[in-house]
């Protein structure tokens, strides 16, 4: 792959409006088909003791956690206004289709854009391409760090100001919105209903030659209750306008020969069934024409004092070896072996397993 990152290539593909007429409809898509299994059945739910697995997988082969298809529709209404919708079906959700994006965009100036509607929640470096496997080297960004995927979209508004200073390119995004959720799975046995409101943040992106950085801060208020009021711990799952904040920093380097990436995040919350935590991932890889080899380490540490359900400090970590092969235009095959370990403060729960997984990613 050339020096331009795959994420930038995909962004250009989705942004392209090579139509003759302004109102023409442009359709683009992406698809990942994946599968995998864990080496044992020892990863269990800390509340129920039942098998819970890792990254959506257990010891039986499955083909749903990393399988997804999406279609994006864009129409340039006039010189300044466009509308965009993205429909996504995920194997992990029984292929139910949802509108992940549905917004109108207006270019106030050449450098200032406003979006209103259903927009992507911009928590992470790869948030905009989180479900487009072709845009990054791994089968999936590490789930120990990319752990807020259940809030993937919100209804709201964002403003993005782009700027250039010499060789430095950058942008500042601010956003505000809210989201409702039903039957949200905290674990295999714990599900909640609720809403997140006063949800907002600011993101700074900077790019210089082969280096890109990202810094962001997000905050919200959450209200929740148990989906099943008869659940034995239902009273412990209630929250009323409790604060939630998230901080993130990332750096990426890719010169077409070597690749390096690091991302750090921290959560601080007053929600008593959730944990304050810090997490990070470090990854490096080498390009060999259409082949890439890479290694990734990830770690998350949680503060048990902030949680009524799991009161011990915990730590989870993983190390993964992977290969990506771009065997045709817009199509890549990936294979990974990932060692996952966790320390939950109990010999019965301090388990480990190896995840073997593959995926075929494509954009069209």
């Amino acid at each position: 792959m050339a020096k331009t990152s795959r994420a930038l290539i995909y962004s250009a593909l989705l942004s392209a409006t090579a139509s003759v007429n302004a109102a023409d409809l442009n359709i683009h898509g992406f698809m990942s088909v994946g599968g995998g299994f864990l080496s044992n059945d020892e990863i269990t739910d800390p509340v129920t003791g039942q098998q819970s697995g890792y990254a959506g997988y257990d010891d039986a082969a499955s083909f749903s956690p990393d399988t997804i298809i999406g279609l994006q529709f864009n129409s340039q209404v006039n010189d300044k206004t466009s509308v965009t919708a993205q429909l996504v079906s995920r194997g992990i959700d029984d292929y139910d289709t949802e509108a992940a994006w549905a917004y109108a965009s207006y270019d106030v100036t050449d450098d200032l854009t406003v979006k209103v509607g259903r927009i992507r929640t911009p928590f992470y470096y790869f948030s905009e391409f989180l479900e487009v496997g072709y845009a990054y080297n791994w089968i999936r960004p590490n789930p120990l760090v990319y752990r807020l995927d259940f809030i993937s979209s919100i209804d709201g508004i964002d403003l993005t100001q782009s700027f250039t200073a010499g060789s430095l390119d950058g942008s500042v995004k601010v956003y505000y919105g809210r989201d409702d959720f039903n039957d949200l799975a905290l674990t295999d046995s714990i599900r909640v209903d609720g809403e997140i409101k006063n949800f907002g943040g600011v993101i700074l992106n900077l790019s210089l030659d082969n280096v890109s950085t990202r810094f962001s801060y997000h905050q919200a208020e959450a209200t929740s209750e148990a989906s099943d009021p008869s659940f034995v711990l239902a009273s412990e799952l209630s929250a009323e306008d409790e604060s939630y904040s998230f901080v993130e920093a990332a750096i990426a380097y890719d010169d077409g020969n070597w690749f390096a990436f690091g991302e750090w995040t921290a959560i601080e919350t007053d929600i008593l069934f959730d944990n304050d935590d810090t997490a990070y991932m470090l990854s490096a890889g080498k390009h060999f024409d259409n082949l890439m080899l890479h290694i990734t380490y990830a770690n998350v540490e949680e503060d048990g004092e902030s949680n009524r359900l799991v009161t011990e400090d915990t730590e989870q970590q993983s190390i993964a070896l992977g290969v990506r092969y771009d065997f045709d235009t817009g199509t890549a095959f990936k294979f990974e072996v990932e060692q996952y370990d966790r320390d939950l403060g109990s010999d019965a729960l301090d388990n480990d397993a190896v995840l073997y997984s593959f995926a075929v990613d494509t954009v069209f």
Side-chain angles (χ1 to χ4, degrees):
M1 177 64 66
K3 291 184 179 180
T4 305
S5 71
R6 297 180 182 90
L8 291 177
I9 292 173
Y10 185 70
S11 178
L13 175 65
L14 292 188
S15 300
T17 53
S19 306
V20 175
N21 298 315
D24 282 352
L25 180 66
N26 298 271
I27 304 175
H28 307 287
F30 58 89
M31 185 174 185
S32 295
V33 178
F37 64 92
L38 288 177
S39 59
N40 59 56
D41 62 356
E42 297 176 2
I43 308 300
T44 55
D45 187 311
V47 176
T48 66
Q50 298 176 350
Q51 184 178 3
S52 60
Y54 171 69
Y57 291 97
D58 55 28
D59 63 328
S62 176
F63 297 90
S64 60
D66 290 311
T67 297
I68 183 171
I69 184 170
L71 291 175
Q72 181 160 313
F73 306 85
N74 176 273
S75 180
Q76 193 71 31
V77 180
N78 53 50
D79 289 344
K80 291 182 174 292
T81 306
S82 65
V83 292
T84 301
Q86 186 182 93
L87 302 179
V88 176
S89 296
R90 306 174 182 89
I92 196 70
D93 295 327
D94 296 324
Y95 299 99
D96 292 338
T97 300
E98 72 164 6
W101 297 358
Y103 62 81
S105 176
Y106 181 76
D107 295 329
V108 181
T109 68
D110 289 343
D111 298 319
L112 177 62
T113 300
V114 180
K115 296 178 182 177
V116 181
R118 186 71 171 168
I119 56 178
R120 173 69 69 182
T121 310
F123 283 132
Y124 300 104
Y125 185 91
F126 289 103
S127 284
E128 187 174 355
F129 315 103
L130 190 56
E131 295 174 316
V132 185
Y134 184 82
Y136 40 78
N137 298 316
W138 316 279
I139 292 176
R140 69 200 76 81
N142 191 277
L144 300 183
V145 178
Y146 281 62
R147 60 206 182 282
L148 296 179
D149 57 340
F150 60 89
I151 318 174
S152 60
S153 302
I154 62 170
D155 298 321
I157 181 172
D158 80 36
L159 292 84
T160 302
Q161 175 70 54
S162 301
F163 60 88
T164 300
S167 299
L168 180 69
D169 295 321
S171 67
V172 176
K173 179 195 294 285
V174 294
Y175 74 95
Y176 181 85
R178 64 177 295 162
D179 191 37
D180 298 322
F181 52 87
N182 295 297
D183 207 30
L184 172 65
L186 300 179
T187 72
D188 284 356
S189 60
I190 301 175
R191 297 178 179 272
V192 295
D193 301 328
E195 65 175 351
I196 301 174
K197 60 184 181 180
N198 293 325
F199 194 165
V202 57
I203 303 95
L204 171 65
N205 287 288
L206 298 172
S207 179
L208 178 64
D209 296 328
N210 299 315
V211 179
S212 298
T213 61
R214 186 182 194 270
F215 308 92
S216 68
Y217 174 78
H218 316 259
Q219 65 179 17
E221 295 176 354
T223 296
S224 68
E225 60 182 13
S227 299
D228 180 2
S230 66
F231 182 63
V232 64
L233 296 174
S235 62
E236 304 295 315
L237 301 180
S238 62
E240 182 69 31
D241 294 337
E242 300 288 356
S243 66
Y244 201 100
S245 65
F246 180 80
V247 182
E248 175 261 357
I251 184 168
Y253 172 84
D254 194 337
D255 64 0
N257 188 28
W258 291 94
F259 160 83
F261 178 77
E263 190 162 17
W264 172 89
T265 67
I267 292 173
E268 185 174 337
T269 177
D270 291 333
I271 302 173
L272 293 180
F273 59 79
D274 204 357
N275 287 349
D276 294 348
D277 70 30
T278 57
Y280 66 91
M281 62 181 289
L282 299 170
S283 185
K286 178 72 168 66
H287 295 279
F288 300 92
D289 293 327
N290 293 332
L291 184 73
M292 164 173 263
L293 303 178
H294 57 86
I295 183 171
T296 302
Y297 174 78
N299 178 285
V300 59
E301 296 184 3
E302 301 181 348
D303 177 10
E305 293 183 1
S306 61
N307 190 312
R308 290 184 294 198
L309 298 182
V310 180
T311 58
E312 298 287 340
D313 292 346
T314 66
E315 181 178 14
Q316 301 174 74
Q317 57 185 333
S318 75
I319 186 166
L321 297 175
V323 59
R324 172 187 176 130
Y325 177 53
D326 288 77
F327 63 90
D328 208 339
T329 303
T331 308
F333 172 79
K334 302 174 184 177
F335 178 76
E336 291 179 9
V337 178
E338 181 176 359
Q339 173 70 44
Y340 167 70
D341 298 277
R342 70 180 190 181
D343 179 1
L344 301 187
S346 167
D347 290 340
L349 297 175
D350 295 347
N351 309 123
D352 61 82
V354 178
L355 172 60
Y356 302 92
S357 56
F358 77 92
V360 176
D361 299 324
T362 185
V363 294
F364 52 90

